Amino acid sequence: MTHTLQMTRRTMLTGAAVAGALTPIIMSTVAHADEEVASAEAVRKPGAAVDLSKIARERIELVKPPFVHAHTQKAEGGPKIKEFTLTIQEKKMVLDKEGTEINAMTFDGSVPGPLMVVHQDDYVELTLVNPDTNTMQHNIDFHAATGGLGGGALTVVNPGESTVLRFKATKAGVFVYHCAPPGMVPWHVTSGMNGAIMVLPREGLTDGRGKPIVYDKVYYVGEQDFYVPRDADGKFKKFGSPGEAYEETVAVMKTLLPTHIVFNGAVGALTGENAMTAKVGETVLIVHSQANRDTRPHLIGGHGEYVWATGKFLNAPDTDQETWFIPGGTAGAAIYTFKQPGIYAYVNHNLIEAFELGAAAHFKVTGDWNDDLMTSIRAPSAT
């Protein structure tokens, strides 16, 4: 207990400027410490150890969203132990062209963190690293996992520490993961510390009636709400560290009014030169997560031909959706085969959030135009 409290004082919030913010965090840590120890011990001593020595291992290198590491859509052979590493990075990020800053907390330096892909009944073995250059305590909660606060009870790491967690991926679908330290869950999540994992059925995706669904590309869109404090003149404030920003950021968070709602960490992160690409005839799987708020994805000029709005692949997908609803704390998935070239806007169809706060992306699609699907009979002109 003494060590935990000292680490909290030393690493989580520093400087006299955050003295007021420190009290609730320390009190929360003290209040929950005994519960965490009891919970962790319960999960560490469940009974006889599982012998996985004969199961094949596969080391996977993660990539920055919206891209996704190489993987097979159907499982090859029996279940495997899939090894991943996530390194926590606390870093400043610029949210928009005005230079608005956030003291972000991230997995592997990106918002969202990388998408991990495994198959149902595989084992996920994650090494979580919190470098000594960080100032905060962190952990990880996998919505795909069973037990121990989704792994949060077993993965609390102070700066300079690392831990290894293994869980069996028993449920097929796309699931959120996020940081969930005691007393500070919303602050870490809305500072960017979330991502997703995709657990594919071993036989691959189907339409719910046995017809296989195969995709040519997969993109991962992580929607993020940020809450940036303003000064007396209404300008966004900048802070030297997460700790310095804590008290005022939490005050903005409690209004439930985000200052920015963005895809992949910043306004314009997936538009223009950063647009996702496809060709006419290519089938694209879009994985979309929102760890905190509800969202309504919509592909302008296209459709969700198959949609798992709550992301669970053993449920039959909805078909031919114009807009789909993903509850906060959930990842969803949608399939579309592009049929026309051009720029497709992919937005949160709360249009205020899309056009005013930043929740928009682009697909840049190349290929031949099909007049049968759409054509201009008469160009706009004076009548």
Coordinates of all heavy atoms in Angstrom, one line a residue, residues 127 213 252 330:
T127 N 2.4 -8.2 -24.2 CA 3.4 -7.6 -23.4 C 3.0 -6.1 -23.4 O 3.0 -5.5 -24.4 CB 4.8 -7.8 -23.9 OG1 5.1 -9.2 -23.9 CG2 5.8 -7.1 -23.0
I213 N -18.0 -14.4 -46.7 CA -17.8 -13.0 -47.0 C -16.3 -12.8 -47.0 O -15.7 -13.0 -45.9 CB -18.5 -12.0 -46.1 CG1 -20.0 -12.2 -46.2 CG2 -18.1 -10.6 -46.3 CD1 -20.8 -11.3 -45.1
V252 N -14.1 20.1 -18.1 CA -14.7 20.1 -19.4 C -15.4 18.8 -19.7 O -16.5 18.7 -20.2 CB -13.6 20.4 -20.5 CG1 -14.3 20.4 -21.9 CG2 -12.9 21.8 -20.3
T330 N -18.0 0.3 -27.8 CA -18.2 -0.8 -28.7 C -17.4 -0.6 -30.0 O -17.2 0.6 -30.4 CB -19.7 -1.0 -29.0 OG1 -20.4 -1.1 -27.8 CG2 -19.9 -2.2 -30.0

